Amino acid sequence: FEIDGEHYLAIANCRIGTSLDGASVIYRWNGAFFAEFQRIQTDGAQDWEHLEINGEHYLAVANRADSCQLQVYSAIYHWNGSFFAEVQHITTSGAQDWEHFEI
C-alpha cells in the first residue's frame, strides 16, 4: 500500500517458534528494498488490510488466537503521519481475514 508517495508492506506473523504471541512487522520501501519500519504486537496474526477513508489511512490486523484461546482482540491502527497507532480493538474468535468494502 502507499501513503504520501511512500510504499509499505505489512507482514502478518502467525507464529514465532511455538508461540502464537509475537510481533508482526510493517516495512517501508527505501529505494532498494523493504526495510523494517514498525513492529506491532499481534496474537496469531493472519491478515492485514489497508483502508483509506476520507483521505485517512488505517491498517486492520486479524488476530486468530493467542497461546490459550481463540477469542482475542483484533485491532485497527491509524496512520498519524509518523507511524500506525492503535485506535480500536474488536473482539474476534479465530479471525483469519479482513475485507474493506464500500456500499
Side-chain angles (χ1 to χ4, degrees):
F1 59 95
E2 183 179 338
I3 300 174
D4 299 329
E6 298 278 350
H7 297 275
Y8 296 87
L9 179 65
I11 304 295
N13 287 324
C14 176
R15 187 177 295 272
I16 308 297
T18 59
S19 175
L20 294 174
D21 305 332
S24 290
V25 183
I26 300 168
Y27 295 88
R28 181 169 56 193
W29 182 252
N30 69 9
F33 58 89
F34 282 99
E36 186 173 313
F37 173 73
Q38 182 177 352
R39 288 182 162 271
I40 294 179
Q41 183 63 35
T42 54
D43 294 313
Q46 297 288 301
D47 182 53
W48 285 98
E49 183 81 9
H50 172 254
L51 306 85
E52 185 175 350
I53 302 170
N54 298 325
E56 297 290 320
H57 295 273
Y58 298 87
L59 277 179
V61 63
N63 286 321
R64 183 172 184 196
D66 65 16
S67 297
C68 300
Q69 61 185 347
L70 285 176
Q71 187 167 331
V72 295
Y73 290 119
S74 290
I76 300 173
Y77 298 84
H78 176 253
W79 176 251
N80 67 12
S82 300
F83 60 91
F84 289 95
E86 185 175 338
V87 294
Q88 183 177 0
H89 60 265
I90 298 168
T91 302
T92 55
S93 183
Q96 294 188 37
D97 191 26
W98 286 101
E99 289 301 325
H100 172 245
F101 59 92
E102 236 178 281
I103 297 178

